[in-house]
Amino acid sequence: MNSKTLDVNENLYQYILDISLKEHPVLAELREITAQHLAAVMQIAPEQGQFMAWLVQLIGAKKTLDIGVFTGYSALAIALALPKDGKVIACDYDPRVTDIAQTYWKKAGVTAKIDLKLAPALETLDSLIANGEAGTFDFSFIDADKRNYINYFEKSLTLLRPGGVIAIDNVLWSGRVANPDDGDKRTASIRAFNQSLYEDSRIALSLLAIADGLTLARKL
Ligand code: CA
């Protein structure tokens, strides 16, 4: 018997979806539309969206960050899981994708819960800190440019309350992080980011081999 994570082939992956995925119809529709988009690979997996929705409910989150909106799947999954007075501060600079996001947020009836900040995310995070909102957020999802992961993480950590959770996407980068011959800049950024979290005593750490790798960091 082997206790390491299973290799999930197509059959097993389909089984996981069939036996556990309960996707809101608007999420399903958004996922199908996004699959036709050129950068569709940037969309998170549906079971990952469901997991994060489950997580924000587990920690009783109300105030959350979505860093890297793309077509809005993660923000929608989380907004649907939040209580009525919950909030997602959604950060992206590209209106071509956030226009799609807003269409589906509206369709799902969650626009009151999502505050889109159309600007570079670092600027938005800095202005939240400047507004005295440090220590007030419960959850942050980081899924934007990999070069800035460490900066998004630092600012998220400042904005989170103790016990708050940061989830970071793509930390396994299709497995490329473990290939010593892969010298790509983004691979190197993610490797360095993963190493810095491993050495970070301010957080409790867990890395899940779900989708493209999801790190969870709980602020101590
Ligand atoms: Ca991603």
Side-chain angles (χ1 to χ4, degrees):
M1 197 180 136
N2 194 335
S3 61
K4 80 170 182 57
T5 302
L6 287 170
D7 287 326
V8 179
N9 62 24
E10 277 303 318
N11 278 344
L12 183 54
Y13 181 65
Q14 194 55 50
Y15 177 80
I16 292 168
L17 297 185
D18 290 346
I19 208 68
S20 71
L21 185 67
K22 299 188 176 191
E23 193 176 34
H24 188 285
V26 179
L27 280 173
E29 198 183 326
L30 174 56
R31 188 158 58 84
E32 277 162 32
I33 292 288
T34 304
Q36 295 154 22
H37 192 280
L38 281 176
V41 68
M42 285 168 67
Q43 174 162 255
I44 65 164
E47 73 280 13
Q48 180 185 344
Q50 181 168 307
F51 170 70
M52 294 198 299
W54 181 92
L55 181 63
V56 298
Q57 290 188 332
L58 178 73
I59 66 170
K62 278 192 174 178
K63 205 172 165 187
T64 73
L65 292 162
D66 187 66
I67 302 171
V69 170
F70 189 46
T71 61
Y73 190 96
S74 55
L76 178 53
I78 286 164
L80 287 165
L82 290 176
K84 240 185 174 156
D85 58 345
K87 204 55 127 181
V88 181
I89 307 295
C91 309
D92 209 299
Y93 63 86
D94 186 352
R96 289 169 304 175
V97 287
T98 58
D99 282 354
I100 300 171
Q102 286 179 299
T103 301
Y104 287 85
W105 296 343
K106 192 174 177 190
K107 203 165 185 177
V110 296
T111 46
K113 290 187 194 172
I114 304 178
D115 188 1
L116 176 65
K117 304 285 190 188
L118 206 54
L122 289 176
E123 287 178 16
T124 299
L125 299 173
D126 280 337
S127 70
L128 291 169
I129 294 167
N131 281 345
E133 296 190 50
T136 68
F137 282 80
D138 303 298
F139 180 80
S140 176
F141 177 50
I142 299 175
D143 188 15
D145 55 306
K146 311 312 168 198
R147 187 172 51 94
N148 271 312
Y149 261 26
I150 195 71
N151 298 320
Y152 298 135
F153 176 80
E154 278 303 323
K155 291 177 197 301
S156 290
L157 198 63
T158 299
L159 286 162
L160 247 61
R161 60 162 168 92
V165 172
I166 306 174
I168 307 108
D169 197 32
N170 302 109
V171 294
L172 297 179
W173 204 233
S174 306
R176 294 171 65 176
V177 284
N179 176 2
D181 297 330
D182 191 321
D184 180 77
K185 273 186 182 168
R186 284 179 302 172
T187 308
S189 291
I190 294 172
R191 260 192 219 118
F193 173 75
N194 288 341
Q195 185 66 36
S196 80
L197 260 59
Y198 184 65
E199 292 165 9
D200 197 327
S201 59
R202 300 170 297 173
I203 55 166
L205 181 68
S206 183
L207 195 165
L208 302 184
I210 183 174
D212 195 29
L214 184 71
T215 286
L216 301 175
R218 177 168 48 85
K219 182 174 178 176
L220 297 175

